[in-house]
């Protein structure tokens, strides 16, 4: 693992070319070549000390008071009042105009260093001109700046966030008319003069792509114009000129005195190629050029539009004169980036994707910006996701997306050396979400739009962002650090499979015919008719399939092998008298060969993937007990570990079905305990599916209640009757009873009779569990979300978690938590991890994702043993081969050929070291229990050898006594 990480770190030091249009094309190839999964692992680190943590709002979204104190109408006022005027709008919104102190309190709570807000042009100049100056509006923004100064939060002020004075739209056609450029410059001049001493960061225009393309092209946003193809590009042309005019104004007139910085907020989506062909890479480059590059290239590169736009748009795209190019170029002090749902997966149509895939990978976009625009200082001025409109304070999806975006930003800084100087979560409070109206919420604080005071309540995302700022990122946590140490001497290292390969074909020793070489040039073997040779008795090693599988098991260096018997094949008709004796002999041979290889077999009687043999009737458990008895009789002298049922709790079974499975297990356990244990001296238990369940909101004690409830329903459902009280968990009974009382469900949790309790309770010899991943759960509190699960939760996933091809999350600490859960509930019960593994692509030899998975999970198991005192007895990797368990195998299987994957060798090294010993560790001196009984296992599986050994011992003793006696007689004779 350390070697792979060092290779990755060295790989990151390879510099990339910067600064020329088109250099960004290398980005996708570069990321495709990054080592996996090293590059995808979560980075625990902190941001630079001077990193700017911000939150933002836009005037029309939150201010309200659209007709108060002399404010003039904006294009959004008109746009939302069109038709009969009953559409949702921002007339009141979050009423920040009257709720200033509450917004300031929210900012203070978060602990941000910067607050991005916009000045409403029509609130300052109601008609858009300076002669319509509105004193009340100016007073509001002065008050806001003064309050920010008191709480030591720096303002980031946007001059134009889409709310153009409607008078300018009606009189001039808005941004389609160059006249507005001068009027915008006049408005900006007033703002710099009036507020500039308190503002160090200015944004001229927010997201000009949306303004031009969707305001004057698709008509999705205000002013809602659908027109000829060239209008959006003329509008974009004017927006660029307006920005440049304002930048030059600030640079020439105010910069020296006010010492501020000024830029334009450019929005973008993320894109990845369909494949790595030149055509797909060009498609990605064109996609970003049409959205982000439309404005970024003239500003950051050469004052002109991207070549892809020129080729595709021809006369529809305006052109700059040489003087205009110089005037527009380099009119930015930093790269202000907006990335999130305003554009991503919302306002990008198919034509702008150029046949490629849209993605939310912020890190790749930041790296593209670095390469394309000469490594500018990047200030992320808008980022986040959203929750549905019915969501209140628990917005897990938004919280985990913010975590993902911030984590990608940190990687961009640390790994890719992108010069990111700040991050802005969007937004401070819920508000009017443009064309989505109130259907979504993006605030870190919940606003109750039905309340008279529009109170603000911090959401889970807000609390997360607050903690993130306090820690300045994701500092390394001690509990996440790997430990060194070893497992006990008698630790069971194993591998598990759902099925072994059954093939009755034998080797050449099974053929009695005689062959001779043909005396021809072909020299082929020819059978001699009518001539046969005497045959020796068949050996178990004659089965090629057994020989091959056992050889593969031996190469793994495991001490135990867990496999499943095929019940329906062993007893095809359910009639034990007609059991498949040939298959039983095959299983017996397989077990015998395992023992010869010094590998202990663990035999499972039933798995949930096994086809239903018809025994799962509510009171029909006897057939399973009879089948178990037959297996004990046929194989029990060789098998010392039995599993009755494997993962009976993994499917959505009814409570009645679970009740039946519990009784079936218990009955089989008692059959073994009563009739076979004394003679066979084995152990028997049940394996429970035990994925960990974590609360999606880990901030208060109450937040953990849903996760506790789900664990009891999924794991406690089976564990508590067997290992605990003998009855179902109290939490489970109370919850079902309450739901039935409210007539919400018609679930019935069965009751155990006194006899059934005695049967089920303590029907175990050890606690066996299978564990693969961890899930997040939260209460269903969104009016628009319904859950069919009786536990009334929704399942979530942290978007920063590493995922397998089948979307299985890699969450190593979940294993340690589930082991401690078992310990806390059932004291010092011996625990075996009977299956732990993850899927990768079937044909991958270098399965580094699986290698990382097992390294981390086994280390967490070691922590549970060494640090937490869990009585852990064994660990079994899942699975043996891809043939039986596609995608999960440590042995690959392609075209009837097996091959070792990378993880197999690594797992073998862990077994050989019995864990993760420190470099100074003195090797364990264990009494080798396995080695001491190697001969015993050989004699046990070959009774003829045992008989011969006894005869040999007897002959040796007899000969020795005879020789001694004769010598004694000879001495007497000589004396005489």
């Amino acid at each position: 693992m350390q070697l792979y990480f060092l290779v990755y770190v060295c790989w990151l030091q390879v510099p990339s070319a910067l600064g020329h249009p088109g250099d960004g094309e290398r980005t996708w190839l570069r990321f495709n070549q990054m080592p996996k999964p090293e590059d995808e692992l979560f980075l625990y680190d902190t941001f630079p000390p001077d990193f700017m943590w911000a939150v933002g709002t836009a005037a029309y979204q939150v201010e309200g008071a659209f007709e108060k104190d002399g404010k003039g109408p904006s294009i959004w006022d008109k746009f939302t009042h069109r038709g009969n005027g009953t559409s949702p709008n921002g007339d009141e919104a979050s009423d920040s105009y009257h709720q200033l102190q509450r917004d300031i309190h929210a900012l203070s709570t978060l602990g941000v260093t910067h607050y991005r807000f916009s000045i409403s042009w029509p609130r300052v100049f109601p008609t858009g001109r300076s002669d319509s100056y509105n004193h009340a509006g100016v007073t509001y923004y002065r008050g806001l700046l003064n309050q920010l100064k008191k709480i030591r939060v720096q303002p980031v002020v946007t001059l134009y966030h889409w709310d153009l004075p409607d008078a300018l739209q009606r009189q001039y056609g808005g941004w389609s008319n160059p006249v507005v450029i001068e009027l915008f410059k006049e408005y900006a001049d007033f703002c710099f003069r009036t507020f500039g001493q308190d503002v160090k960061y200015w944004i001229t225009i927010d997201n000009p792509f949306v303004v031009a393309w969707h305001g004057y092209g698709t008509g999705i946003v205000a002013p809602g114009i659908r027109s000829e193809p060239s209008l959006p590009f003329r509008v974009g042309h004017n927006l660029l000129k307006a920005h440049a005019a304002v930048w030059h104004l600030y640079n020439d007139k105010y910069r020296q005195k006010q010492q501020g910085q000024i830029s334009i907020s450019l929005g973008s989506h993320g894109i990845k190629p369909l494949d790595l062909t030149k055509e797909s890479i060009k498609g990605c480059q064109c996609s970003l050029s049409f959205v982000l590059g439309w404005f970024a290239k003239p500003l950051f590169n050469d004052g002109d539009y991207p070549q892809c736009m020129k080729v595709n748009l021809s006369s529809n795209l305006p052109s700059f004169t040489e003087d205009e190019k110089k005037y527009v170029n380099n009119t930015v002090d930093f790269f202000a980036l907006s990335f999130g749902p305003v554009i991503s997966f919302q306002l990008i149509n198919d034509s702008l994707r150029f046949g490629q895939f849209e993605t939310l990978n912020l890190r790749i976009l930041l790296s593209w910006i670095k390469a394309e625009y000469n490594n500018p200082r990047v200030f992320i001025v808008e980022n986040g996701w959203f929750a549905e409109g019915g969501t209140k304070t628990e917005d897990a999806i938004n919280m985990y997306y913010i975590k993902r975006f911030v984590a990608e930003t940190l990687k961009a800084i640390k790994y890719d050396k992108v010069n990111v100087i700040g991050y802005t979560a969007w937004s401070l409070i819920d508000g009017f979400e443009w064309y989505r109206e109130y259907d979504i919420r993006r605030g870190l604080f919940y606003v109750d739009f039905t309340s008279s005071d529009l109170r603000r309540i911090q959401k889970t995302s807000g609390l997360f962002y607050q903690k993130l700022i306090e820690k300045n990122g994701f500092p390394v946590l001690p509990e996440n650090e790997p430990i060194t140490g070893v497992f006990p001497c008698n630790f069971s290292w194993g591998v598990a499979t759902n099925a072994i390969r059954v093939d009755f074909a034998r080797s050449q020793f099974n053929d009695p015919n005689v062959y001779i070489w043909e005396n021809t040039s072909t020299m082929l073997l020819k059978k001699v008719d009518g001539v046969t040779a005497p045959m020796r008795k068949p050996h178990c090693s004659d089965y090629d399939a057994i020989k091959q599988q056992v050889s593969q098991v031996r190469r793994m260096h495991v001490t135990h092998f867990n496999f499943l018997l095929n019940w329906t094949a062993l007893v095809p008709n359910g009639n034990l008298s007609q059991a498949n004796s040939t298959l039983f002999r095959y299983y017996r041979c397989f077990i015998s060969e395992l023992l010869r290889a010094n590998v202990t077999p663990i035999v499972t009687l039933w798995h949930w993937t096994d086809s239903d043999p018809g025994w799962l009737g509510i009171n029909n458990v006897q057939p399973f007990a009879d089948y178990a008895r037959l297996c004990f009789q046929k194989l029990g002298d060789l098998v010392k570990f039995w599993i009755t049922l494997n993962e009976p709790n993994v499917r959505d079974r009814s409570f009645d079905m679970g009740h039946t499975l519990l009784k079936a297990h218990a009955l089989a356990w008692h059959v073994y305990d009563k009739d076979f244990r004394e003679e066979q001296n084995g152990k028997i238990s049940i394996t429970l599916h035990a994925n960990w369940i974590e609360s999606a909101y880990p901030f208060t004690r109450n937040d953990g209640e849903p996760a506790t409830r789900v664990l009891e329903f999924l794991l406690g459902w089976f564990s508590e009757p067997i290992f605990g009280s003998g009855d179902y968990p109290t939490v489970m009974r109370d919850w079902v009873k309450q739901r039935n009382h409210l007539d919400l469900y018609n679930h019935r949790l069965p009751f155990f009779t006194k006899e059934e309790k005695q049967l089920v309770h303590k029907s175990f010899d050890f606690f066996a569990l299978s564990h693969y991943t961890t899930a997040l759960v939260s209460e269903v509190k969104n009016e628009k979300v319904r859950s069919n699960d009786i536990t009334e939760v929704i399942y979530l996933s942290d978007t920063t978690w590493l995922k397998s091809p089948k979307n299985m999350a890699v969450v190593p600490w979940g294993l340690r938590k589930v082991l401690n859960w078992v310990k806390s509930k059932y004291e010092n019960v011996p625990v075996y991890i009977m299956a732990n593994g993850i899927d990768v692509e079937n044909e991958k030899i270098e399965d580094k994702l699986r290698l990382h998975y097992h390294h981390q999970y086994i280390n967490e198991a070691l922590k549970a043993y060494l640090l937490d005192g869990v009585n852990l007895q064994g660990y079994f990797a899942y699975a043996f081969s891809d043939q039986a368990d596609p995608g999960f195998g440590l042995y690959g299987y392609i075209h009837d050929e097996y091959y070792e994957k990378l993880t197999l060798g690594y797992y073998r090294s862990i077994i050989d070291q019995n864990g993760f010993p420190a470099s100074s560790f003195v090797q364990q001196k264990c009494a080798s229990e396995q080695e001491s009984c190697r001969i015993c296992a050989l004699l046990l599986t070959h009774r003829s050898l045992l008989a011969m050994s006894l005869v040999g011992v007897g002959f040796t003793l007899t000969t020795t006594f005879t020789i001694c006696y004769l010598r004694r007689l000879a001495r007497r004779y000589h004396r005489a």
Side-chain angles (χ1 to χ4, degrees):
M1 285 296 294
Q2 290 178 346
L3 176 61
Y4 284 114
F5 186 75
L6 286 173
V7 170
Y8 173 58
V9 171
C10 293
W11 190 93
L12 289 171
Q13 308 309 311
V14 178
S16 56
L18 302 172
H20 300 287
D23 283 352
E25 285 187 9
R26 301 187 182 97
T27 303
W28 293 282
L29 288 172
R30 177 174 174 266
F31 273 88
N32 184 69
Q33 294 167 357
M34 283 187 176
K36 303 289 189 302
E38 293 85 354
D39 182 61
E40 300 169 330
L41 300 179
F42 191 84
L43 173 61
Y44 287 96
D45 206 338
T46 55
F47 286 84
D50 57 348
F51 193 76
M52 296 185 290
W53 292 104
V55 68
T57 58
Y60 183 77
Q61 290 187 282
V62 300
E63 282 184 2
F66 83 111
E67 289 182 322
K68 297 290 181 66
D69 295 340
K71 176 187 174 294
S74 73
I75 56 174
W76 271 95
D77 292 320
K78 293 297 182 180
F79 185 69
T80 56
H81 289 146
R82 66 193 185 280
N84 57 16
T86 59
S87 300
N89 54 59
D91 291 358
E92 185 177 17
S94 313
D95 197 27
S96 286
Y97 188 77
H98 297 109
Q99 305 290 337
L100 177 58
Q101 289 303 322
R102 287 182 172 171
D103 289 350
I104 293 296
H105 177 74
L107 289 167
S108 180
T109 300
L110 288 176
V112 293
T113 61
H114 292 71
Y115 175 45
R116 183 189 170 197
F117 67 91
S118 71
I119 295 175
S120 173
W121 189 350
R123 192 177 294 282
V124 175
F125 294 166
T127 67
R129 295 177 176 275
S130 60
D131 58 9
S132 62
Y133 167 80
N134 178 27
H135 178 74
V138 173
T139 300
Y140 168 71
Y141 292 114
R142 278 180 173 155
L144 172 55
L145 289 170
N146 287 333
Q147 291 298 319
L148 291 175
K149 192 181 298 184
K150 288 181 180 179
I151 62 171
R152 297 183 180 180
V153 171
Q154 288 287 327
V156 180
V157 179
T158 304
L159 293 172
Y160 179 73
H161 203 131
W162 305 3
D163 51 350
L164 185 74
D166 185 60
L168 301 184
Q169 183 64 41
R170 287 186 288 105
Q171 187 173 358
Y172 301 111
W175 287 107
S176 65
N177 194 323
V179 172
V180 177
I181 296 174
E182 286 303 314
L183 294 173
F184 182 60
K185 182 179 177 182
E186 180 184 58
Y187 158 64
D189 191 13
F190 172 82
C191 291
F192 296 151
R193 185 172 64 253
T194 306
F195 309 119
Q197 289 298 330
D198 296 321
V199 179
K200 300 306 177 187
Y201 287 92
W202 291 96
I203 303 293
T204 56
I205 299 167
D206 181 83
N207 219 328
F209 167 80
V210 174
V211 176
W213 186 263
H214 293 293
Y216 293 84
T218 66
I220 293 176
V221 302
I225 295 173
R226 294 186 180 92
S227 61
E228 75 276 9
S230 64
L231 180 60
F233 303 104
R234 295 204 310 272
V235 169
H237 204 66
N238 289 334
L239 289 168
L240 276 166
K241 288 181 177 180
H243 160 76
V246 171
W247 186 91
H248 281 290
L249 168 69
Y250 188 83
N251 191 60
D252 297 341
K253 189 175 179 180
Y254 295 100
R255 186 186 299 276
Q256 186 174 2
K257 183 178 180 181
Q258 297 180 1
Q259 296 295 304
Q261 300 179 54
I262 186 168
S263 190
I264 181 172
S265 172
L266 301 181
S268 184
H269 61 305
I271 200 81
K272 66 178 180 180
L274 185 65
D275 50 45
L276 293 176
T277 61
K278 289 184 178 179
E279 292 75 14
S280 292
I281 298 294
K282 286 287 185 184
C284 288
Q285 188 76 6
C286 274
S287 181
L288 290 182
S289 294
F290 260 79
V291 179
L292 183 58
W294 180 1
F295 301 93
K297 184 174 178 290
L299 296 170
F300 289 89
N301 281 134
D302 56 9
D304 203 0
Y305 293 116
Q307 186 64 26
C308 186
M309 293 186 74
K310 290 182 176 182
V311 171
N312 283 275
L313 298 174
S314 62
S315 61
N316 285 327
L317 186 68
S319 60
F320 291 107
T321 66
E322 290 303 315
D323 288 340
E324 286 174 336
K325 288 180 182 178
K326 293 177 182 178
Y327 188 72
V328 169
N329 189 220
N330 290 324
T331 56
V332 281
D333 298 329
F334 55 92
F335 198 114
L337 176 65
S338 170
F339 183 79
V342 171
I343 290 182
S344 298
F345 293 94
Q346 307 289 330
L347 294 179
I348 298 294
N349 56 27
D350 290 339
S351 65
L352 292 175
R353 295 189 185 94
F354 286 83
Q356 309 310 310
F357 291 124
E358 195 170 353
T359 177
L360 288 175
N361 195 313
L362 176 57
R363 180 185 171 193
I364 291 179
L365 179 62
L366 289 169
S367 293
W368 185 86
I369 290 170
K370 174 189 176 184
E372 191 77 7
Y373 302 119
N374 197 26
N375 195 21
R377 295 162 64 241
V378 180
F379 189 176
I380 300 171
V381 295
E382 179 179 349
N383 182 242
W385 201 238
F386 64 89
E388 295 297 327
T391 304
K392 294 185 178 178
T393 59
E394 294 184 350
D395 58 337
I397 294 176
N398 189 34
M399 178 182 74
Y400 284 110
Y401 269 108
I402 290 175
K403 179 184 178 184
R404 168 182 171 172
F405 293 139
V406 173
E408 288 177 357
T409 302
L410 183 61
K411 283 186 176 181
I413 295 171
K414 297 294 184 177
Y415 291 164
D416 311 322
K417 308 306 178 185
V418 180
N419 190 11
V420 184
I421 62 173
Y423 176 89
T424 307
W426 201 271
S427 62
L428 173 64
I429 55 178
D430 291 332
F432 179 79
E433 291 298 334
W434 309 116
Y435 64 97
R436 300 292 297 274
E437 300 170 344
Y438 295 101
D439 289 340
I440 64 172
R441 291 174 177 266
R442 297 188 65 194
L444 301 181
F445 282 77
Y446 169 76
V447 176
D448 184 355
F449 295 111
T450 64
S451 65
S452 59
D453 58 353
L454 295 172
R455 62 184 180 276
R456 283 85 161 118
I457 305 172
Q458 190 174 20
K459 296 183 187 179
T460 304
S461 59
L463 186 55
F464 166 78
Y465 195 53
Q466 175 187 338
K467 301 297 182 184
L468 180 69
I469 294 169
E470 288 176 2
K471 296 177 180 179
N472 197 34
F474 308 99
V476 175
L477 300 175
E479 58 266 30
N480 291 334
E481 290 289 276
I483 67 168
T484 57
V486 294
F487 291 93
C489 285
N490 60 345
F491 196 72
S492 301
W493 291 103
V495 65
T497 183
N498 281 332
I500 61 170
R501 182 159 57 97
V502 176
D503 186 349
F504 295 108
R506 292 178 178 268
S507 64
Q508 68 270 23
F509 298 108
N510 195 43
D511 189 354
N513 295 300
V514 175
Y515 299 84
I516 61 173
W517 295 105
E518 283 189 342
N519 191 18
T520 64
S521 60
T522 61
M523 294 296 290
L524 297 175
L525 282 173
K526 179 180 179 182
K527 185 173 72 173
V528 179
D529 294 332
V531 180
T532 59
M535 290 287 294
R536 63 165 172 76
K537 289 184 177 181
H539 295 169
C540 287
S541 58
D542 292 344
Y543 289 110
D544 287 335
I546 293 178
K547 186 176 181 180
Q548 182 183 39
Q549 290 176 94
V550 172
S551 175
Q552 290 170 338
V553 173
R554 288 189 65 180
R555 287 202 294 273
M556 298 179 79
H557 294 188
V558 294
T559 61
H560 291 67
F561 184 78
N562 180 17
F563 72 96
L564 169 71
L565 300 181
N566 190 333
W567 180 4
T568 52
L570 283 170
V571 190
N573 302 316
N575 188 342
L576 298 184
S577 63
Q578 298 179 6
N580 188 336
S581 57
T582 302
L583 183 56
F584 264 117
R585 282 196 298 272
Y586 187 90
Y587 281 134
R588 187 172 180 86
C589 276
F590 183 82
I591 294 168
S592 299
E593 292 304 300
L594 284 176
L595 291 170
R596 285 186 64 197
N598 206 26
V599 176
T600 301
I602 297 184
V603 178
T604 300
L605 298 174
W606 180 85
H607 181 57
W608 62 269
T609 56
D610 199 7
S611 56
D612 184 2
W615 64 281
L616 291 177
I618 293 177
N619 295 309
N620 192 23
V621 298
Q622 191 59 45
F624 179 70
D626 294 339
Y627 158 68
R629 179 183 293 277
L630 180 65
C631 293
F632 300 152
Q633 291 170 343
K634 296 285 188 179
L635 308 172
D637 58 322
L638 304 179
V639 178
K640 302 306 176 188
F641 280 89
W642 292 95
I643 299 295
T644 55
L645 309 177
N646 185 52
E647 301 181 349
N649 58 327
V650 76
R651 278 186 168 179
D652 294 329
R653 304 188 186 280
S654 68
F655 292 145
D656 286 335
M657 183 71 74
H659 204 67
T660 300
L661 289 165
L662 278 165
K663 291 190 291 184
H665 151 75
L667 194 58
W669 187 90
H670 281 282
V671 166
Y672 188 84
D673 188 59
K674 179 181 178 182
D675 299 336
F676 296 94
R677 188 187 298 277
E678 185 176 355
E679 179 183 353
Q680 297 179 358
N681 197 30
K683 297 178 180 180
I684 183 169
S685 198
I686 184 173
T687 297
L688 299 180
H689 187 270
N691 283 347
W692 181 248
I693 304 296
E694 185 78 5
S695 171
Y697 313 108
F699 297 114
T700 69
R701 288 186 178 181
N702 292 336
D703 292 337
E705 195 277 329
T708 300
R709 179 167 72 245
V710 173
L711 274 171
E712 294 292 359
F713 269 82
L714 296 181
L715 183 52
W717 178 19
F718 276 75
S719 66
E720 189 62 19
I722 297 172
F723 299 91
S725 65
D727 197 3
Y728 295 116
T730 303
V731 169
M732 192 176 178
R733 281 217 179 273
D734 292 345
W735 186 263
V736 172
K737 182 179 179 180
Q738 181 187 11
R739 267 44 195 173
N740 285 338
H741 176 70
L742 295 174
D743 296 325
L744 296 177
Y745 300 96
N746 188 26
H747 294 295
R748 187 186 71 86
L749 189 59
F751 286 88
F752 292 103
T753 65
K754 182 179 179 181
E755 292 75 16
E756 288 173 342
K757 275 190 177 182
Q758 291 175 347
L759 179 76
V760 173
H761 190 219
K762 295 187 177 181
S763 57
F764 71 92
D765 294 328
F766 51 90
F767 196 113
L769 61 88
S770 57
H771 175 89
Y772 308 97
T773 188
T774 291
L776 302 173
V777 296
S778 70
E779 297 274 16
V780 179
K781 293 186 177 180
N782 184 345
E783 294 88 342
K784 295 183 179 180
V785 176
R786 292 288 179 266
S787 172
N788 294 324
D789 194 308
I790 187 176
T791 56
E792 296 184 18
V793 299
I794 55 175
Y795 285 82
L796 305 166
S797 181
D798 186 333
T799 54
T800 65
W801 285 347
L802 203 59
K803 301 288 198 318
S804 74
K806 293 182 179 178
N807 210 34
M808 184 182 293
V810 180
V811 194
W813 49 258
L815 175 59
R816 183 181 179 186
K817 288 198 172 187
V818 81
L819 291 172
N820 275 280
W821 184 89
V822 173
K823 176 178 180 281
S824 66
K825 291 183 72 72
Y826 308 119
E827 296 180 348
N828 202 36
V829 60
V831 181
Y832 288 82
I833 302 167
M834 297 304 297
N836 178 237
I838 196 171
D839 64 289
V840 297
E841 291 88 343
N842 279 9
E843 298 185 8
K844 271 201 170 182
I845 296 177
E846 289 200 356
D847 54 340
K848 291 194 284 183
L849 173 62
R850 179 182 288 116
L851 188 151
H852 167 77
Y853 177 97
H854 283 292
H855 172 86
Q856 295 293 330
Y857 275 77
I858 295 173
N859 199 264
E860 291 296 317
L862 183 64
K863 291 177 187 177
Y865 166 68
L866 287 179
L867 305 181
D868 308 328
V870 176
N871 188 9
L872 188 60
Q873 299 289 309
Y875 174 91
F876 288 69
Y878 177 80
F880 177 51
S881 80
D882 283 340
Q883 186 182 28
D885 306 280
F888 286 85
L890 299 182
Y891 280 102
Y893 182 75
I894 303 177
H895 307 306
D896 297 327
E897 294 290 334
Y898 293 90
Y899 60 90
E900 287 191 15
K901 297 183 184 178
L902 185 67
T903 303
L904 192 153
Y906 183 69
Y907 184 46
R908 182 166 52 217
S909 69
I910 292 177
I911 294 172
D912 291 344
Q913 298 176 93
N914 202 28
F916 306 91
S919 56
S920 59
F921 179 74
V922 178
Q923 185 155 353
Q924 284 175 296
K925 294 182 179 180
C926 301
S928 180
E929 194 175 313
Q930 296 280 3
E931 290 295 327
S932 64
C933 63
R934 182 185 292 272
I935 295 175
C936 301
L938 185 67
L939 296 178
L940 180 65
T941 55
H942 291 76
R943 301 300 175 86
S944 59
L945 288 178
L946 177 62
M948 292 173 62
S949 299
L950 292 174
V951 170
V953 170
F955 176 78
T956 301
L957 291 173
T958 302
T959 303
T960 301
F961 285 132
T962 301
I963 292 173
C964 290
Y965 180 73
L966 291 175
R967 284 181 176 176
R968 188 174 179 182
L969 286 176
R971 284 197 296 269
R972 288 178 180 177
Y973 174 79
H974 287 301
R975 286 173 185 165

